[in-house]
Amino acid sequence: MTRYLHLVPLHKYSRFVSRFHTNKAAIVTKAANFTTTAATPWNTQLRNLSKHGQYYEALILYLQMLQSGATPNAFTFPFVLKSSASLSLPITGKQLHCHVFKLGCESEPFVQTALISMYCRCNLTESAQEVFDEIPQRSLTVCYNALISGYVQNCNFLNGFSLFTEMRQRGVPFNAVTFLGLVPGCTGPQYLWLGMSLHCLNVKCGLENDLTIANCLLTMYVRCASMELTRKLFDHIPEKGLITWNAMISGYAQNGLAAEVLELYHEMELLQVNPDAVTFVGVLSACANLGAQKIGLEVEEKIRSSGMRCNVFLKNALINMYARCGNLVKARIIFDEMPEKNLVSWTAIIGGYGIHGFGNIAVELFDKMIKTGIQPDGTVFVSVLSACSHAGLTKKGVNYLDLMKREYGLKPCSEHYSCIVDLLGRVGRLEEAHKLIESMEVEPDGAVWGALLGACKIHKNVELAELAFNKVVELEPTNIGYYVLLSNIYTEANNSEGILRVRLMMRERKLKKDPGYSYFECKGKTHLFVAGDRSHPQTKEIYKLLNRLEDTASQHGGANTNGQEVINQEPPNIMGVHSERLAIAFALLNTEIGTDILVIKNLRICGDCHLFVKRVSKIVDRLFVVRDATRFHHFRNGTCSCNDYW
DNA sequence: ATAGGGTTAG
């Protein structure tokens, strides 16, 4: 029996064991005192450990079992295989497979299935397939189920699906678990029709009342980006469980439908369905997208009062919510107090500082994160690069792109390049930015060319702007913002022919300027304005204040991003007074000094309003403008810390 | 006694 001893090096696990509760360790010790060589008492202990997720302990117990001279049997292996699978220990798993052979347990169906599952969970689907192929009577539904879900979880949906087809051809009965393994493989719009046919099959088999399957299908529709079908299914589920609600809420949140999230959350409250951590994560994500700090605060209070243990997911969601709503102090406190921060926590706080113009802090935190030994990924690089671009840290940003490629072997995608283009473009290195786009190893998307177009506006380069515009409308022909941007570039260049050409193009393509809106959250109520709005009860005062502001502001003059005088006036909105101006005036009328944040949506459409904001912030010392979630403007106390035109 | 499954963040 001593030959088994090198199966799992004991010292490797002892440090994990010491981290567990002492009473759990006591089970191990107690078991180690067995003098019997019979397998049964060991198996019982193994079952207890694996049932409670004590996988390391289970493996150690198995070692002790071998040491004591007991011989494992067919009942032993499923528990230990599950343990090595859960811990993703392929070497241990393979050694266990050898033991299975040595002890002649390889033809036990339960062991075979456990082996397939173990290999799949260690990302060794080929080995799993080998085990599967060795099974003579391949009629076992569970073996198929294990391998199908294994393929799906290893991102090989097509193999999983063809196994399902084989199963049906052979007449092997499938069941609910087959669906649960297969359906999550439909992870994109291209699989929607397959997912729908599985849904139909599921109804045909009379499994439609299985709540677990319904939840699974719901998530499938979310992943296929079909929120209408998701909602339709949701409405048809008669007795929804908490997971059903959570799947719907996080589905909306993941697809950016923040208003729907809050509506659903409210409905949950009315029906007195008790939310859990997963629910709150979705709701907080919606608050972050809307900049709705008030609701976020309520949610935090609710979490506290419910005595819920705040897990990492929830803490990260809170950090993200506060950071995006502009409350960096609160976000930082939560971040600092986290005993174990993960990559997402760092990304959230770095991104928070970045979008509010505190590029230096963001960069500092990023470097600290690297020192902590956390391996960065593409997303955290997006955060730090955009932080650099918002704060004008050109050199740092370029260095990070290099670091990302060289040190970490990460392939930059369009998002990274658009940050760098923005960065170079803003300081006037337009040609360099253009060359970078041409040299990209991935196809540039609209945002990349859009960043160049925006930079062309700042530096009044009409020629390059036309080039960028032609590229960008090819990629995003219906994005009105780009037409407006080019039109504004022509306006500044006094090129009336160009303006006409853009207008004509918009008319030909039947593009109408989206009614931009701005809103301001005040005393728990959201006040929404559209351009030329006169429906608000305070309309009179708002317009009066606006006139006064315009007068004072024009006396103060303005400066463009190079510090030169702005010669031309902002083009008036054809719809009337810009919605941003109305919201700003309303906010100034109704807020206390220094306490409120004004959230402006859709500045992208009439970006020229920022000149107004800039001028106003020179004469009003409490203006703090946060733009929508993707790109924020930051002006404070009259100093513009961000030259962002977009 | 033993195998296969649904919801969470940047």
Side-chain angles (χ1 to χ4, degrees), chain A residues 567-615:
Chain A
I567 306 150
N568 53 309
Q569 288 295 307
E570 286 171 47
N573 189 338
I574 42 164
M575 306 294 290
V577 180
H578 287 105
S579 63
E580 290 90 329
R581 293 169 188 243
L582 296 171
I584 289 170
F586 169 80
L588 292 173
L589 281 172
N590 293 284
T591 57
E592 299 294 317
I593 291 174
T595 51
D596 287 277
I597 293 160
L598 173 57
V599 180
I600 297 189
K601 277 277 201 185
N602 280 2
L603 255 189
R604 172 190 288 246
I605 288 165
C606 25
D608 288 291
C609 246
H610 89 278
L611 284 177
F612 169 76
V613 175
K614 213 154 99 183
R615 286 208 300 263

